[in-house]
Amino acid sequence: MKRATIKDIGILAGVNPSTVSRALRNHPDVSAAVKTKITEIAKQLKYVPNDTAVNLRTRNSKLIGLIVPSITMFFTPSVIDGISDVLQKNGFKLMVLCSHESLEQETENIKICCNAGADGILISCSNQTKNISHLEYAHDLEIPLVMFDKTVSQSTFDEVIIDNKDAAEQCANYLLQRKCKNIIAVYGNKNMSISSEREKAFTNAIKKSKATVVKNLNASDSIEAQNKTLAALLSNANIDGVFAMSDEVLTGVHGALQRITTSNCSLIAISDGKLPPFYFPQIPYLKHDGFALGQKAINLLLSYIDNTKETNNVKKHLLETEMITY
Amino acid sequence: MKRATIKDIGILAGVNPSTVSRALRNHPDVSAAVKTKITEIAKQLKYVPNDTAVNLRTRNSKLIGLIVPSITMFFTPSVIDGISDVLQKNGFKLMVLCSHESLEQETENIKICCNAGADGILISCSNQTKNISHLEYAHDLEIPLVMFDKTVSQSTFDEVIIDNKDAAEQCANYLLQRKCKNIIAVYGNKNMSISSEREKAFTNAIKKSKATVVKNLNASDSIEAQNKTLAALLSNANIDGVFAMSDEVLTGVHGALQRITTSNCSLIAISDGKLPPFYFPQIPYLKHDGFALGQKAINLLLSYIDNTKETNNVKKHLLETEMITY
DNA sequence: CTGTTAGCGCGTTCAC
DNA sequence: GTGAACGCGCTAACAG
């Protein structure tokens, strides 16, 4: 069944295609009589405007490119959910590209987005990414871009991230309240700003107390986290507190703790909350909401696209977090 | 920076736009000299064809619509990963729509895909979906559609699913080998064909032995799974084997088992393998690979789009599974 | 208020 | 071999 066009309607209504176009878009210049007539015919023909033609004419694609380092994480799906939630309401399409933690693939994905004519790009960087030189391609084409979650130090694009300092401090305070004295902290890949920021804040908070951070660990995946944590626990029998900065890391840390039957540690993690309830006993965590983060990031991007953004100041947008204990 | 068009190149090269078009698409009719000259200029201008214009002209969008019931599950992200892996290599874009287990939203998503001019649709149904009447919209427009994973009984569209019968039987055999006699089986939502098919196969396999299925449970989410499993365990002290048909269900089942300290049950699950290793001790599972399933489904859909599909027989495509024990 | 005209950027006939 | 002309479906400027 072929699709009806604006022209088909015009013929049936005995009017010019352009009149049909105006009527359907509720232009004030067209008479009520003609308007209802055209609307009626359009309904009968099950007319639906051809997006491609509209896009070509109006020079926008109603397409948002989303680039993520990995999709099988706990966090990313929630973010996608939040983004698509907003986009569906605005008639935008979401194109999902995964970089698999590769800078090369990430660079390629930027090009794909631009060449596909995306109206805007949302990116969370791979752990290989150290600067934003590969984002210039989008910047040159004047395609709005917003970074979220996994960002790198820069001052060209807006960033939507959780309040890393506050989150890490809250976790530190939790452990201090539980009277922990000898603490291990496990972070993600060293390149990521979320790692260094959380480390800095956590370390400072602990320093203010009588407790000490016995060891700062970095791990790019849960296996590495498990091995390093296990080694640290074995060589420091007096560890009584562990901080895991993400779900990825938490998985490994938890595995390590399970293997040390003698250990009696307090554990706290930064998490989006999907994973912790699966463990028994449940693990307390500082919740950082991926769904909300996705929504905030896409709303910001859309404000760039619609030109409704108030100021032009590039800045970091912080997301609040919440401590969940049982 | 504005994008260069075929026209810009033509002016610089002193040739007609149509010649540029031919040269860039390596048409045999254009002389080698002109061809290299044009290619050179195109490179300098960083020319990239305008997808929208090409799509309008060629009447296809290079867009695939993916509709899933939920995205925060364990399984879906792997599937998306597999799909986008294939699509990126073929220059297709992936549009992700989530139905949030709502038939109404699913119907709406079908329309969004069609109206956006998707070249093809991949769908995993919500647990409210009982038939395919809402898919007719796509069928009428002759848009290829392939169902995967969560399907409903029908004979219009191809389905890509795991070999439910084999999977359930393998799980049954695992429990029988462990000398289980009194077994609980926990399935997902009753409407889903994967639930009924797995139940049928599992029950039949157990029936052939001296063991019995004490109880068949159905649960739409992990909370419900946990409550029902817990109740069943409490009222049947002699349970020595549990089968969880999915990660969703497994989460609840595991929670229930943890709460019964006296229980000494064998546990087996059908899972894509992301969740089981997180538990300690690790849970054996029948692996059904979401990544591979995604790839298989999209390849099938692409063969419809390219018209390279051999036969026109609608059928179920089964995916093999693998038992993972420790 | 409505019709005419002119493109958006590209691919493809048809001439020459 | 290459140019000219047309049209995909739609919107927008200009006329009347």
Side-chain angles (χ1 to χ4, degrees), chain B residues 128-147:
Chain B
Q128 285 185 0
T129 307
K130 289 182 172 132
N131 58 58
I132 56 167
S133 59
H134 61 309
L135 303 185
E136 265 175 38
Y137 191 81
H139 199 235
D140 284 350
L141 258 24
E142 290 166 20
I143 299 175
L145 184 150
V146 167
M147 306 181 78

Side-chain angles (χ1 to χ4, degrees), chain A residues 73-74 150 184-190 192 194-195 198 217-230 242-257 267-271 275 279 283, chain B residues 278:
Chain A
M73 292 174 10
F74 312 93
K150 308 278 183 64
I184 292 180
V186 191
Y187 304 94
N189 188 285
K190 245 185 172 163
M192 302 191 299
I194 55 171
S195 292
R198 291 174 193 185
L217 269 29
N218 280 93
S220 292
D221 58 46
S222 52
I223 309 279
E224 193 182 345
Q226 173 161 326
N227 292 337
K228 288 191 173 178
T229 306
L230 195 55
V242 182
F243 167 50
M245 82 147 225
S246 68
D247 282 310
E248 204 86 50
V249 161
L250 169 61
T251 306
V253 168
H254 185 261
L257 283 171
L267 174 57
I268 184 76
I270 297 179
S271 163
L275 183 63
Y279 290 118
I283 298 167
Chain B
F278 295 159

Side-chain angles (χ1 to χ4, degrees), chain B residues 15-16 19 22 29-31 34 57 59:
Chain B
V15 296
N16 193 283
T19 306
R22 283 187 281 243
D29 271 5
V30 54
S31 75
V34 177
R57 190 65 178 72
R59 316 180 139 302

